[in-house]
Amino acid sequence: MSAGGEGAPEALWKRLASHGAAARNRRIADLFAADPARAEAFSLRADGLLLDYSRTNIDPPSRADLLALAEAAGLARRRAAMFAGERINETEDRAVRHVALRAPEGCDWADAGALETLARMRAFAKGVRGGQVQSPAGAPFADVVNIGIGGSDLGPVMASRALAPYHDGPRLHFVSNVDSADFADTTRALDPARTLFVVASKTFTTQETMQNAASARAWLEAAGLEAPGHFVAVSSARDRARAWGIAPERIFSFADWVGGRFSLWGPVGLGLMLAIGPRHFDEMLEGAHAMDRHFLSAEGAGNMPLMLALTGIWHRQVMGHASRAVIPYEHRLARLPAYLQQLEMESNGKSVAMDGSPLARPSCPVVWGEPGTNGQHAFFQMLHQGSDVVPVEFLLGKRGHEPGLARHHLLLVANCLAQGEALMRGRSLEESRARLAGKGLAPDQLERLARHRTFAGNRPSTTLLYERLTPRTLGRIIALYEHRVFAEGVILGINSFDQWGVELGKELATSLVPILEGRAEAEDKDPSTRMLLEALKQPPSLV
Ligand code: F6P
């Protein structure tokens, strides 16, 4: 029996469309003027996080209907089904149980196998970090290179950077791209004798990863080393990892109910655990587990992932904003936007509903971003004055990790708050004229300049405030986004857990390899591909 997944009813979407039409004719600032308690009423605190969505154009009736939408879509039922391990990934006939990877022993949705693997990971990490697990030649490992792509890369990369202050183990590096530049540039300064490779691939078939792993093996062999002793595999495909030559005790596996983009919490996080240590890794799991419990039990507008999801639905499906910027005012979250691109766009970038019918409305927005303040000096011009409205999600820590550089943090905070304020308030033409008056400008010049200096404002943003970017906080934040993506998917009636859209390109790339090797003809390729293939064959100066 299907556990929901039918999306929300049309009547509610219609009601929300009329709320959206009304919102287009009012200013967010007026909502604050009408309700002095709006900032408190349209924000919520949970588990050390504060989510402020008051600087959006959601008013009380819109929020009530957004909540009704989630309820009518069967979110509670589907959430219970996910935690209970039902096969809610219907197109792949799989359960979706990443929450089990961070569930402690005794928890209802814990998994004995996952706990056992976690214990093995801890023991291995302690051995590598303590120098007892060594290379076959007897050298401790100084560098760890994670080879993986997509979900087998982005989570660990993002978290490794986010938790830089906690690194006290071997240096951690990442190779993901099949472009040889990635492998060459990453390994250039490394000593093969003291390097451990973690080959992370759920399927152990991904072209990029298998090519990089083969190059790693060749790199070790060229240094005269016994390559197998320098490898660890992280995979659901134990047999393939063994067949590739990795010793069974060096394989850390996970079940098929862990989706690639939700896999940071298990063996895919092994490289991270090696770098920050099991204790900090456990703290990250605890933070995520706390968010799981919150998502499961908090009601209505008190549920943070749900409110983040509803804000997303409001901006994309109701107001029609096609993109969303994620701007962490936290330099160490520089890779969060890239991580969220996969989490959100691979999960919810779909055009058919769970039952195969065409989706009645747009799905996922384009998710993008860069850390503040850097983004301010690049694309914020467009956010403030461009012709499209881009809702912004700010993330901000109350405290940094460098008390000796406190003024940096103060300036960071000032900039983050200022951007949210500027986006909402804007600056009217009258204000711009007044600022230019008395500067001796001719009237037509003043008018022209005033127009350039006017900001429409009324541009929405949310702010997620947290205490400090510790492992526990990171765990909470990432689980918050995971559940947000899930809730949006349920409301849209799509399956957030498959990714068929990546298959066609993979198949065509595979079919092009023999053509590029000169073993097959290109006649079934389109004219553009054939022309480019011809150009690739030309001597360098003729391309
Ligand atoms: O890009 C498609 C995808 O299947 C992702 O969903 C996945 O995270 C990535 O490739 C890597 O897959 P694997 O872990 O099997 O190598």
Side-chain angles (χ1 to χ4, degrees):
M1 197 186 84
S2 158
E6 62 276 7
E10 263 332 291
L12 268 169
W13 283 112
K14 285 212 177 91
R15 280 224 311 260
L16 278 160
S18 62
H19 290 310
R24 276 181 205 97
N25 294 319
R26 72 171 173 242
R27 295 192 64 85
I28 302 168
D30 292 341
L31 294 174
F32 281 100
D35 177 6
R38 179 174 171 83
E40 280 298 327
F42 283 76
S43 60
L44 69 153
R45 291 168 168 81
D47 199 29
L49 303 179
L50 163 61
L51 173 65
D52 175 11
Y53 59 99
S54 63
R55 287 197 282 218
T56 67
N57 214 322
I58 300 174
D59 66 351
S62 321
R63 179 168 65 184
D65 276 342
L66 284 165
L67 287 164
L69 192 74
E71 197 182 332
L75 178 66
R77 196 164 64 249
R78 203 142 181 93
R79 183 180 57 196
M82 174 170 77
F83 277 84
E86 287 179 36
R87 293 178 172 259
I88 62 166
N89 175 357
E90 292 173 21
T91 57
E92 294 181 323
D93 192 24
R94 286 177 184 163
V96 175
R97 294 188 59 207
H98 49 276
V99 292
L101 296 180
R102 56 230 188 183
E105 217 171 327
C107 169
D108 281 356
W109 56 91
D111 179 78
L115 285 166
E116 198 187 308
T117 305
L118 187 59
R120 278 185 61 223
M121 285 167 61
R122 288 192 194 107
F124 182 73
K126 279 185 189 147
V128 172
R129 289 162 56 85
Q132 298 87 6
V133 174
Q134 300 183 338
S135 75
F141 292 111
D143 293 277
V144 174
V145 181
N146 186 85
I147 296 180
I149 196 164
S152 299
D153 169 70
L154 288 163
V157 172
M158 175 276 297
S160 165
R161 184 133 185 208
L163 300 178
Y166 300 89
H167 282 229
D168 57 359
R171 289 177 293 265
L172 180 59
H173 315 267
F174 294 89
V175 173
S176 55
N177 203 323
V178 76
D179 186 335
S180 52
D182 200 5
F183 183 82
D185 292 352
T186 306
T187 51
R188 186 167 296 127
L190 304 187
D191 174 7
R194 290 160 59 84
T195 299
L196 176 71
F197 288 97
V198 177
V199 183
S201 174
K202 180 175 173 181
T203 55
F204 230 73
T205 58
T206 302
Q207 189 185 56
E208 294 93 328
T209 301
M210 298 327 293
Q211 181 56 55
N212 279 317
S215 296
R217 182 155 58 190
W219 183 73
L220 292 163
E221 283 168 357
L225 297 164
E226 271 180 54
H230 290 256
F231 280 100
V232 172
V234 165
S235 183
S236 295
R238 253 193 117 75
D239 292 353
R240 286 199 201 107
R242 278 204 70 172
W244 196 84
I246 298 188
E249 66 279 10
R250 287 284 182 92
I251 301 174
F252 296 87
S253 58
F254 54 101
D256 72 353
W257 41 252
V258 182
R261 52 194 174 273
F262 299 88
S263 63
L264 165 68
W265 319 100
V268 168
L270 181 63
L272 178 68
M273 190 194 266
L274 289 165
I276 65 171
R279 184 170 63 84
H280 288 132
F281 191 85
D282 283 351
E283 285 171 11
M284 186 179 79
L285 300 189
E286 284 161 21
H289 179 67
M291 183 52 70
D292 294 340
R293 289 199 171 275
H294 166 82
F295 179 52
L296 200 51
S297 60
E299 298 283 338
N303 191 306
M304 195 174 279
L306 174 59
M307 291 319 296
L308 196 56
L310 293 178
T311 307
I313 295 282
W314 171 260
H315 286 142
R316 176 67 185 117
Q317 283 76 25
V318 180
M319 301 300 284
H321 305 314
S323 98
R324 175 200 301 155
V326 179
I327 315 292
Y329 275 72
E330 176 85 53
H331 198 71
R332 294 190 177 104
L333 285 178
R335 295 295 284 164
L336 181 71
Y339 170 79
L340 292 179
Q341 278 173 342
Q342 189 199 16
L343 184 65
E344 306 209 20
M345 293 162 77
E346 196 166 81
S347 297
N348 290 346
K350 317 268 163 80
S351 305
V352 287
M354 189 70 95
D355 63 4
S357 61
L359 214 61
R361 50 196 51 81
S363 58
C364 178
V366 176
V367 177
W368 59 283
E370 277 289 318
T373 59
N374 293 15
Q376 291 174 208
H377 301 273
F379 52 80
F380 270 54
Q381 163 64 39
M382 181 267 195
L383 297 183
H384 287 291
Q385 288 190 319
S387 50
D388 290 307
V389 172
V390 180
V392 179
E393 294 185 358
F394 294 109
L395 291 98
L396 177 67
K398 256 164 85 177
R399 289 187 297 138
H401 280 278
E402 290 76 27
L405 298 170
R407 188 160 171 78
H408 287 250
H409 197 73
L410 183 139
L411 295 177
L412 187 73
V413 171
N415 274 279
C416 181
L417 298 183
Q419 291 302 326
E421 189 183 356
L423 285 165
M424 180 179 77
R425 280 174 48 163
R427 176 172 288 155
S428 68
L429 187 56
E430 291 70 35
E431 285 174 284
S432 296
R433 282 185 190 129
R435 288 169 70 93
L436 288 168
K439 295 207 166 158
L441 297 168
D444 62 335
Q445 200 184 3
L446 183 146
E447 187 59 23
R448 198 175 66 240
L449 285 180
R451 284 173 194 274
H452 284 282
R453 293 174 189 213
T454 295
F455 296 71
N458 211 26
R459 301 195 167 203
S461 67
T462 60
T463 305
L464 183 69
L465 187 65
Y466 48 87
E467 188 63 36
R468 201 155 75 118
L469 192 61
T470 60
R472 199 171 258 116
T473 301
L474 183 70
R476 289 178 188 134
I477 293 175
I478 300 309
L480 165 68
Y481 274 98
E482 284 181 348
H483 294 318
R484 178 260 192 104
V485 166
F486 167 73
E488 287 187 348
V490 173
I491 292 167
L492 294 172
I494 60 182
N495 180 7
S496 300
F497 301 104
D498 62 12
Q499 56 283 318
W500 300 107
V502 302
E503 293 305 322
L504 181 57
K506 285 186 190 173
E507 280 166 31
L508 293 180
T510 304
S511 76
L512 277 159
V513 172
I515 299 173
L516 287 164
E517 288 173 338
R519 294 186 288 112
E521 295 302 321
E523 73 249 341
D524 65 333
K525 296 290 168 196
D526 65 85
S528 165
T529 304
R530 286 207 306 271
M531 186 273 289
L532 292 169
L533 283 167
E534 272 311 308
L536 281 160
K537 282 192 214 157
Q538 301 299 315
S541 60
L542 295 180
V543 171

